[in-house]
Amino acid sequence: MHARADQRIRVTLTLNSRERSGYAEPRTQLCDFLRHELGATGTHVGCEHGVCGACTVRVDGRASRSCLMLAVQAEGRRLDTVESLAGEEGLSDLQQAFRRHHALQCGFCTAGILMSCEEFLERVADPSEAQVRDMLSGHLCRCTGYTGMVQAVLDVARTRREATVPDSQQENNDV
C-alpha cells in the first residue's frame, strides 16, 4: 500500500472488545490515534521513544509501546488500553491493589504500568519480587519509588493463585 504523507487512511481495530474505526495519516503514532481519533485518553504519551512506558497498551495480548507503532499497523488487531481493566463492578483487582498499596501518586505513568503488570501476571502466576522489579524496570515513574507497585503485583498474584486452588486442596492447607 502506498499513501501520501498527508493522506488519511481508515484504520479498523478492536479496542477494548469493541470494533472501532478512525482515520490516520500514515505517520500517525498509535498513541496519538488512540487518544485523538478514538478517545482512549487513558493512554498517555511521555517520551515518544519507547523508553518511559507511559503509552503501553496491549496489542493482541502483548504489552507494547504505542508510541513505537503506527496507527496503520494496528489495522485488524486487538488492542486493550487501561480503560479495559475496570468493569461494570468497578476497579479490577490490580487497580484496587495499586490503590491499597499506594502504588501511584501523580498517575501519569500508571496506565502503562497497569497494562504491563496485567500482561505479566497472565504469563507469570507466581512471580518473585526480582521478577516483578525486572518487569517494572521497563517503566519510568518519578513519584513512587516502585515499592508499592511491587507489593501490589505480588498481592494480586497471591490472591489470584489462591482463587484457583480447589476448595478441597485449600481445606487441606488450612489444617
Side-chain angles (χ1 to χ4, degrees):
M1 161 175 89
H2 291 90
R4 294 186 332 264
D6 63 343
Q7 181 181 356
R8 290 175 52 89
I9 299 167
R10 183 178 176 90
V11 178
T12 302
L13 49 83
T14 302
L15 177 62
N16 302 329
S17 302
R18 291 183 47 225
E19 186 171 299
R20 299 285 306 275
S21 293
Y23 291 89
E25 294 178 1
R27 64 179 176 232
T28 302
Q29 292 174 317
L30 178 59
C31 53
D32 291 329
F33 178 74
L34 291 170
R35 290 180 60 79
H36 304 297
E37 188 71 16
L38 300 184
T41 56
T43 302
H44 292 162
V45 184
C47 67
E48 297 188 81
H49 297 285
V51 176
C52 74
C55 69
T56 303
V57 298
R58 292 179 70 176
V59 179
D60 296 331
R62 301 274 326 242
S64 304
R65 302 292 202 252
S66 63
C67 73
L68 296 179
M69 186 172 178
L70 299 173
V72 295
Q73 292 174 301
E75 172 67 33
R77 314 280 292 271
R78 186 190 61 175
L79 275 76
D80 294 296
T81 64
V82 70
E83 289 92 346
S84 72
L85 295 181
E88 290 182 19
E89 60 280 351
L91 298 177
S92 71
D93 59 345
L94 183 60
Q95 290 170 308
Q96 290 174 25
F98 264 59
R99 175 193 269 168
R100 220 175 20 260
H101 291 280
H102 307 288
L104 57 102
Q105 285 182 18
C106 81
F108 189 82
C109 65
T110 307
I113 290 173
L114 285 168
M115 296 311 292
S116 288
C117 290
E118 189 63 47
E119 189 253 354
F120 173 76
L121 286 167
E122 288 177 12
R123 287 185 297 106
V124 184
D126 189 13
S128 67
E129 180 177 332
Q131 288 174 304
V132 174
R133 288 188 179 279
D134 184 57
M135 179 271 302
L136 287 171
S137 72
H139 290 273
L140 298 178
C141 175
R142 296 179 180 184
C143 301
T144 65
Y146 301 93
T147 300
M149 293 179 205
V150 172
Q151 292 170 344
V153 172
L154 292 172
D155 184 18
V156 170
R158 187 190 76 257
T159 303
R160 288 181 183 179
R161 279 192 318 277
E162 289 172 357
T164 61
V165 174
D167 288 337
S168 60
Q169 187 176 353
Q170 185 67 36
E171 289 171 10
N172 293 335
N173 290 340
D174 293 340
V175 175

